[in-house]
C-alpha cells in the first residue's frame, strides 16, 4: 500500500521543509496542499485508517494486550455468531410480516385496524428495547401464571407453562415486534410511494382490495422497501447482543455473553470485548457489502435499458397491462384480440393493441 | 355477451348529482348510451366531464342519482357491503383509459408501453380475457401526448368504434375525432349538459352561445 508510486513516493518530507515563516507568497501549507492533490482521495483515506489502527495497536500493546488469549478463545466466542444470525433471521421475518400488517393498518380507514396498528407502533417505538425484552421474558410468564391461578377452571392445563419462553424465543419475538414497529413506517412510506393512479387503475379493473394490494401495489412498494429492510437487518444483528442480559440458559450463549463470561473468568475484559466487537463488526461489514450491491441493483431497475427491459425487448414481446397500460393510454386491461398467452407478441396485436406502442413499429425497434 | 343487449342502453345515468364538500360538480345529469354508440363529452375544465366518467364506474361515489351499466343498477350515496361487491361487478363491465399517463420521462413512449410493471403482466392479460368490457370510458386519453401519438391513439379509438362497434364514452377536446366518430356529443357547462346532439347538430346548428364560444376556441 505504501509502495504505491503515486502515493507514498510523492509524499513530501513534511518535517524537513524549511520554515518559510512570514516571508509572504505561497507558504509551506500551500505547497503541501498542491502536492497532496496528486494523491488519490481513497489512498489518503486508507492512510488515515492505517494511522488509527496503529494508534490503537500501540495503546493495546502498551496495555499488555494478550493476543494469545484471543487465539485460544476466539472460536468459542465466534460460535455465538450462529445465535446472532439465527435470531436476526427469524426476527427480521417476523418484523417484515408485522411491518406489512402494521402499514396496511396505518393506511386503513377501519378504526379498529388503524387503532391497533397505532397502539403497536407507538408502544414499541416509545419504549426501550431493553425494557421490552424484560417485559416479555419476566413479566409475561408472571402474568400468565397469575391469570392461570385465578381462572384455573376456565384455562386449559399448561396455560402458564406455555408462556415461559427461552431467551432465544423472547429475543426473536421482541426484536421482531420492535423492529416491526419501526419498519411499519418504512412500509407505509413504500406503499404510499406507489402512485395513486396505479391503485385507481386497479380499482377500475374491478379488483378487490386484496387483489389490488397483492398484485399491483405491494410488488411496486417492495422495490422501495427492500434496501431499508436490509439496513434494519444489519442493525438487528447488533441488537441481538442485548438478549445476553436475559439469564444464562443454554440458548443465551450468545456471542456477547460468551465473550463476557470468558473475559470475566480470565480477567481479560479488553481482549474479550475487542474480540466480540471485532466479530460483530466483521459480520455487519459483510452484510453491508451485500447491502450496497443490493441497493445498486434495485436502483438499476429504474435506469434506462435495464437488463430486464432488454431481455423483454429481445423476446420481442409487448404486454397490455391494465393498471400500468391504462395510465399510458391503453384501455385498462383490455386486449383487443384477447390472446391465449399472457404476453402479446409485437406486431400481432390488433390495430396497435395497446394503442400507444403503435403498429407503425412492427420490428420492435425503439426510435 | 353483447347480443342480448342489442338496441338497449348499455349505460344509463339518471339524475346524477355529485358534490365535493360545498362544491356541486354535477347538478343532475341524465344520459343514455346505447350499445355500439360513441358519445363524446366536451366542455371547459371543471365543468364535470371527468367526474361524470369517474362516477360511471364508481371511482367517485355519486352523491345521489342512479347509474346502470349492463343491467347492474346502483344508487348513489353510501357504500354498503353488498354495494361494494356490486360496484366490483360493474367495474368489470367497464374499461377505462385515464387522463394522466404517468409516462417515465426518461423513456420513449414505446419503452413505456413495453416496460410496464413486470409484476402485473400476467394478471392483466388474464383480467383482460375475462373482461371484454361492455363500455369503454376514455378520460382525455390524448391530453398528455405529443401530436404524433395523439394520431395513433385516435386511430385505435376510431377502429374500436367503427370495426369493433365498442360502446364508448369519450371525454376529449379532439373535435375532429368527435365529428367523424361520435354518434352524439354532449356539451357540459357548470355541472350540467347544456346541449346534446349529433355532430351535425352541434357543429352546424349550435344553439347556445357558450357552446359556440367553446367550439370557436377549440377548433
Amino acid at each position: 500500500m505504501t509502495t504505491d508510486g503515486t502515493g507514498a513516493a510523492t509524499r513530501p518530507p513534511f518535517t524537513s521543509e524549511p520554515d518559510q515563516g512570514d516571508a509572504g507568497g505561497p507558504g509551506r501549507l500551500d505547497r503541501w496542499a498542491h502536492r497532496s492533490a496528486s494523491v488519490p482521495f481513497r489512498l489518503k483515506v486508507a492512510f488515515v485508517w492505517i494511522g488509527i489502527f496503529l494508534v490503537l495497536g500501540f495503546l493495546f500493546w502498551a496495555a499488555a494486550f494478550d493476543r494469545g488469549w484471543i487465539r485460544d478463545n476466539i472460536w468459542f466466542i465466534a460460535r455465538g455468531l450462529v445465535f446472532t444470525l439465527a435470531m436476526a433471521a427469524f426476527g427480521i421475518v417476523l418484523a417484515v410480516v408485522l411491518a406489512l400488517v402494521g402499514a396496511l393498518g396505518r393506511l386503513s380507514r377501519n378504526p379498529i385496524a388503524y387503532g391497533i396498528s397505532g397502539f403497536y407502533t407507538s408502544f414499541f417505538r416509545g419504549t426501550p428495547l431493553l425494557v421490552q425484552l424484560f417485559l416479555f421474558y419476566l413479566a409475561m410468564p408472571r402474568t400468565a401464571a397469575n391469570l392461570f391461578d385465578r381462572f384455573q377452571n376456565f384455562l386449559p392445563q399448561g396455560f402458564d407453562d406455555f408462556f415461559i419462553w427461552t431467551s432465544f424465543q423472547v429475543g426473536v419475538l421482541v426484536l421482531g415486534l420492535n423492529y416491526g414497529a419501526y419498519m411499519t413506517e418504512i412500509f407505509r412510506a413504500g406503499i404510499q410511494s406507489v402512485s395513486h393512479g396505479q391503485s385507481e387503475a386497479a380499482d377500475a379493473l374491478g379488483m378487490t382490495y386484496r387483489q389490488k394490494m397483492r398484485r399491483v401495489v405491494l410488488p411496486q412498494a417492495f422495490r422501495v422497501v427492500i434496501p431499508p429492510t436490509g439496513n434494519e437487518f444489519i442493525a438487528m444483528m447488533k441488537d441481538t447482543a442485548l438478549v445476553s442480559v436475559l439469564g444464562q440458559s443454554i440458548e443465551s450463549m450468545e456471542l456477547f455473553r460468551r465473550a463476557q463470561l470468558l473475559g470475566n473468568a480470565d480477567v481479560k475484559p479488553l481482549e474479550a470485548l475487542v474480540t466480540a466487537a471485532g466479530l460483530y463488526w466483521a459480520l455487519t461489514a459483510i452484510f453491508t457489502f451485500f447491502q450496497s450491491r443490493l441497493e445498486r441493483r434495485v436502483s438499476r431497475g429504474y435506469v434506462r435499458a435495464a437488463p430486464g427491459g432488454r431481455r423483454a425487448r429481445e423476446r420481442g414481446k409487448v404486454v397490455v397491462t391494465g393498471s400500468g397500460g391504462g395510465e399510458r393510454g391503453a384501455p385498462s386491461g383490455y386486449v383487443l384480440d384477447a390472446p391465449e398467452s399472457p404476453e402479446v407478441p409485437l406486431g400481432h396485436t390488433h390495430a396497435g393493441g395497446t394503442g400507444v406502442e403503435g403498429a407503425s413499429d412492427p420490428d420492435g425497434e425503439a426510435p | 355477451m353483447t347480443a342480448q343487449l342489442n338496441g338497449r342502453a348499455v349505460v344509463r345515468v339518471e339524475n346524477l348529482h355529485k358534490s365535493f364538500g360545498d362544491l356541486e360538480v354535477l347538478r343532475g345529469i341524465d344520459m343514455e348510451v346505447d350499445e355500439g354508440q360513441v358519445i363524446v363529452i366536451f366542455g371547459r375544465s371543471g365543468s364535470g366531464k371527468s367526474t361524470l366518467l369517474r362516477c360511471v364506474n364508481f371511482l367517485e361515489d355519486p352523491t345521489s342519482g342512479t347509474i346502470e351499466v349492463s343491467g347492474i343498477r346502483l344508487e348513489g350515496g353510501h357504500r354498503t357491503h353488498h354495494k361494494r361487491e356490486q360496484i366490483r361487478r360493474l367495474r368489470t363491465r367497464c374499461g377505462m383509459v385515464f387522463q394522466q399517463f404517468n409516462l417515465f420521462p426518461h423513456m420513449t413512449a414505446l419503452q413505456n408501453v413495453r416496460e410496464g410493471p413486470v409484476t402485473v403482466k400476467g394478471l392483466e392479460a388474464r383480467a383482460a380475457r375475462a373482461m371484454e368490457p361492455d363500455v369503454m370510458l376514455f378520460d382525455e386519453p390524448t391530453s398528455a401526448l405529443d401530436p404524433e401519438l395523439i394520431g395513433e391513439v385516435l386511430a385505435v379509438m376510431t377502429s374500436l368504434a367503427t370495426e369493433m362497434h365498442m360502446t364508448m364514452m369519450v371525454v376529449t377536446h379532439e373535435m375532429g375525432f368527435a365529428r367523424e366518430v361520435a354518434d352524439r356529443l354532449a356539451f357540459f357547462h357548470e355541472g350540467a349538459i347544456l346541449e346534446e346532439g349529433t355532430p351535425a347538430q352541434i357543429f352546424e346548428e349550435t344553439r347556445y352561445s357558450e357552446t359556440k364560444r367553446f367550439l370557436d376556441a377549440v377548433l
Side-chain angles (χ1 to χ4, degrees):
Chain A
M1 182 148 260
T2 48
T3 54
D4 186 304
T6 57
T10 54
R11 289 182 79 194
F14 185 74
T15 46
S16 66
E17 201 74 27
D19 189 11
Q20 296 288 310
D22 41 13
R28 191 178 62 190
L29 280 176
D30 285 316
R31 265 180 291 126
W32 168 243
H34 183 71
R35 288 185 205 173
S36 149
S38 65
V39 183
F41 178 77
R42 297 180 73 131
L43 194 64
K44 286 189 246 184
V45 173
F47 282 131
V48 172
W49 276 67
I50 290 166
I52 293 170
F53 277 112
L54 286 176
V55 170
L56 286 176
F58 173 77
L59 281 176
F60 287 174
W61 172 79
F65 192 72
D66 186 351
R67 279 183 298 150
W69 188 90
I70 291 185
R71 235 192 347 267
D72 293 342
N73 294 290
I74 188 164
W75 291 113
F76 177 77
I77 297 174
R79 253 176 281 148
L81 284 172
V82 176
F83 179 96
T84 299
L85 273 171
M87 192 149 69
F90 286 120
I92 200 76
V93 169
L94 179 61
V96 165
V97 172
L98 289 169
L100 181 58
V101 176
L104 293 177
R106 292 307 279 166
L107 294 170
S108 168
R109 275 186 295 172
N110 180 326
I112 298 170
Y114 187 86
I116 291 175
S117 59
F119 170 83
Y120 164 62
T121 51
S122 177
F123 177 79
F124 281 98
R125 295 172 70 194
T127 55
L129 181 54
L130 197 57
V131 174
Q132 292 163 16
L133 281 169
F134 278 111
L135 209 53
F136 280 84
Y137 190 67
L138 297 176
M140 183 177 73
R142 185 76 256 152
T143 311
N146 288 355
L147 283 175
F148 186 66
D149 284 347
R150 179 167 291 208
F151 302 110
Q152 221 156 22
N153 300 330
F154 308 100
L155 293 170
Q157 254 334 301
F159 175 84
D160 47 348
D161 294 333
F162 179 78
F163 287 95
I164 300 172
W165 288 24
T166 66
S167 53
F168 181 84
Q169 291 166 328
V170 169
V172 168
L173 176 74
V174 172
L175 285 173
L177 283 167
N178 184 280
Y179 276 72
Y182 284 96
M183 284 162 62
T184 292
E185 294 303 312
I186 295 173
F187 276 52
R188 187 184 54 75
I191 291 170
Q192 284 180 324
S193 76
V194 179
S195 87
H196 182 63
Q198 295 279 315
S199 110
E200 197 162 67
D203 282 337
L205 277 169
M207 288 191 194
T208 62
Y209 174 80
R210 189 185 281 264
Q211 287 173 323
K212 174 172 76 170
M213 280 296 163
R214 217 184 58 211
R215 296 167 165 177
V216 178
V217 177
L218 291 182
Q220 297 180 67
F222 276 135
R223 202 196 278 266
V224 181
V225 158
I226 283 169
T229 300
N231 280 332
E232 294 295 309
F233 178 67
I234 290 166
M236 191 187 275
M237 285 194 299
K238 290 176 290 170
D239 275 348
T240 57
L242 284 171
V243 181
S244 68
V245 301
L246 299 182
Q248 314 201 21
S249 66
I250 191 71
E251 293 90 351
S252 80
M253 290 305 275
E254 174 270 344
L255 192 154
F256 177 52
R257 181 150 200 90
R258 284 169 175 242
Q260 251 188 329
L261 290 175
L262 286 186
N264 288 350
D266 296 346
V267 201
K268 300 277 185 191
L270 174 67
E271 289 80 354
L273 296 176
V274 164
T275 307
L279 287 169
Y280 281 119
W281 197 2
L283 189 65
T284 52
I286 291 167
F287 279 92
T288 307
F289 171 75
F290 287 119
Q291 169 75 9
S292 64
R293 285 174 52 127
L294 178 74
E295 273 175 34
R296 239 177 300 153
R297 201 188 170 85
V298 170
S299 68
R300 208 160 47 192
Y302 280 111
V303 180
R304 186 174 182 144
R310 199 183 308 122
R311 274 203 299 281
R313 268 200 300 285
E314 280 160 7
R315 282 203 306 272
K317 305 276 179 123
V318 69
V319 172
V320 183
T321 57
S323 64
E327 290 202 321
R328 296 177 179 90
S332 282
Y334 177 64
V335 183
L336 291 168
D337 278 338
E340 281 310 305
S341 152
E343 292 181 325
V344 187
L346 236 200
H348 292 277
T349 44
H350 186 282
T354 60
V356 188
E357 110 277 18
S360 65
D361 197 11
D363 55 357
E365 281 303 315
Chain B
M1 85 183 55
T2 47
Q4 75 264 26
L5 289 163
N6 246 333
R8 281 175 45 201
V10 176
V11 178
R12 196 174 278 135
V13 176
E14 289 165 21
N15 195 23
L16 189 75
H17 287 264
K18 173 67 184 175
S19 302
F20 293 106
D22 291 335
L23 183 69
E24 202 179 2
V25 183
L26 296 177
R27 308 158 186 258
I29 303 289
D30 290 288
M31 186 181 272
E32 280 193 5
V33 188
D34 288 339
E35 215 231 305
Q37 247 193 355
V38 175
I39 181 160
V40 165
I41 299 159
F42 67 111
R44 219 170 285 140
S45 305
S47 59
K49 324 173 291 272
S50 286
T51 308
L52 170 68
L53 222 57
R54 293 166 61 83
C55 279
V56 168
N57 67 355
F58 284 82
L59 285 182
E60 305 286 355
D61 281 308
T63 310
S64 68
T66 308
I67 302 278
E68 188 184 317
V69 176
S70 303
I72 302 168
R73 195 177 165 82
L74 288 169
E75 302 287 328
H78 283 296
R79 286 191 187 192
T80 60
H81 189 73
H82 173 71
K83 194 177 157 194
R84 209 169 292 155
E85 191 47 39
Q86 292 292 99
I87 287 173
R88 237 176 43 68
R89 275 186 55 214
L90 180 146
R91 281 172 172 166
T92 61
R93 317 305 328 147
C94 305
M96 188 164 194
V97 179
F98 285 90
Q99 187 169 16
Q100 80 285 1
F101 281 81
N102 274 13
L103 292 163
F104 296 127
H106 58 289
M107 292 184 182
T108 64
L110 197 58
Q111 283 173 314
N112 261 287
V113 174
R114 289 210 191 123
E115 301 184 1
V118 177
T119 46
V120 290
K121 271 183 189 176
L123 157 82
E124 301 309 341
R126 274 207 305 282
R129 253 175 299 159
M131 195 157 88
E132 292 216 16
D134 295 334
V135 59
M136 291 286 312
L137 312 172
F138 291 87
D139 188 2
E140 299 199 33
T142 57
S143 62
L145 299 178
D146 64 47
E148 193 186 359
L149 281 169
I150 290 176
E152 286 180 27
V153 170
L154 291 179
V156 172
M157 288 167 65
T158 305
S159 79
L160 257 177
T162 57
E163 291 165 30
M164 316 277 294
H165 305 291
M166 176 60 70
T167 312
M168 291 161 62
M169 294 177 77
V170 185
V171 171
T172 187
H173 293 156
E174 298 291 337
M175 284 302 143
F177 171 82
R179 195 191 286 267
E180 268 179 54
V181 180
D183 298 295
R184 272 188 306 141
L185 276 77
F187 178 68
F188 265 58
H189 186 69
E190 293 177 352
I193 298 173
L194 185 68
E195 192 166 353
E196 192 175 353
T198 63
Q201 285 170 330
I202 294 291
F203 290 114
E204 264 67 71
E205 306 157 27
T206 319
R207 278 179 294 163
Y208 289 87
S209 58
E210 284 89 350
T211 318
K212 179 117 190 63
R213 228 178 301 141
F214 184 84
L215 284 175
D216 287 344
V218 178
L219 289 175

